[in-house]
Amino acid sequence: MTDPTSAFDALAGRIADIERRFADLRDDLSELSGTAADESGLVSATVDATGALTGLTLAPAALRAGTEGLAALVLDAYQRARAVASEHVDEHTEGLDVTLGAGLGDLFGKPGDFSALGRLEETMARLGRLDDRLPGAPA
């Protein structure tokens, strides 16, 4: 079994790396958006990285679709814009597949291995200190 201190030091290093990456990512995501038109091209929607609607453009001809038709056009444009924004987010987050749990089996044991329970108190204290190092929620 791996020494708990080295495993926690490795985990702390991974967390520090994640903090650096997320700081950069937070800035990038605040500027990301997605814009798309509905199938007819009469309605265009823009959303931010979270999918919130930030812009909507209606061609005069869209108003001839009636209230239900216009609602359908708006929803279509909105869903397409969200898909575009989601693709942009995926492009910017590619490679950030962080697997915090990788290698922790050596520290905590395999399922059904209860020998690690003796280290539970130490583990909880160290996790509490690591939790203090985690970044806050993205803005």
Side-chain angles (χ1 to χ4, degrees):
M1 202 169 273
T2 303
D3 171 38
T5 303
S6 345
F8 278 113
D9 288 343
L11 181 59
R14 282 189 263 170
I15 290 172
D17 183 49
I18 292 166
E19 286 175 329
R20 282 188 297 277
R21 288 178 172 188
F22 276 115
D24 294 338
L25 181 62
R26 197 174 301 144
D27 294 338
D28 290 345
L29 291 181
S30 68
E31 298 174 11
L32 279 181
S33 66
T35 300
D38 72 295
E39 189 173 323
S40 72
L42 297 175
V43 175
S44 176
T46 300
V47 299
D48 65 14
T50 66
L53 186 66
T54 60
L56 185 65
T57 305
L58 307 173
L63 301 176
R64 289 187 220 131
T67 56
E68 289 182 17
L70 181 58
L73 295 174
V74 169
L75 285 175
D76 184 30
Y78 172 71
Q79 290 168 345
R80 290 170 186 255
R82 281 189 60 133
V84 169
S86 180
E87 287 175 21
H88 291 167
V89 168
D90 288 347
E91 290 167 6
H92 278 77
T93 58
E94 189 174 356
L96 288 180
D97 304 80
V98 181
T99 54
L100 282 175
L104 295 182
D106 291 337
L107 177 62
F108 297 109
K110 306 288 182 235
D113 175 10
F114 299 104
S115 63
L117 289 177
R119 294 188 302 273
L120 183 59
E121 198 169 295
E122 175 190 357
T123 300
M124 294 306 293
R126 286 178 179 261
L127 285 175
R129 289 191 296 273
L130 286 174
D131 188 46
D132 293 339
R133 294 183 190 175
L134 288 173

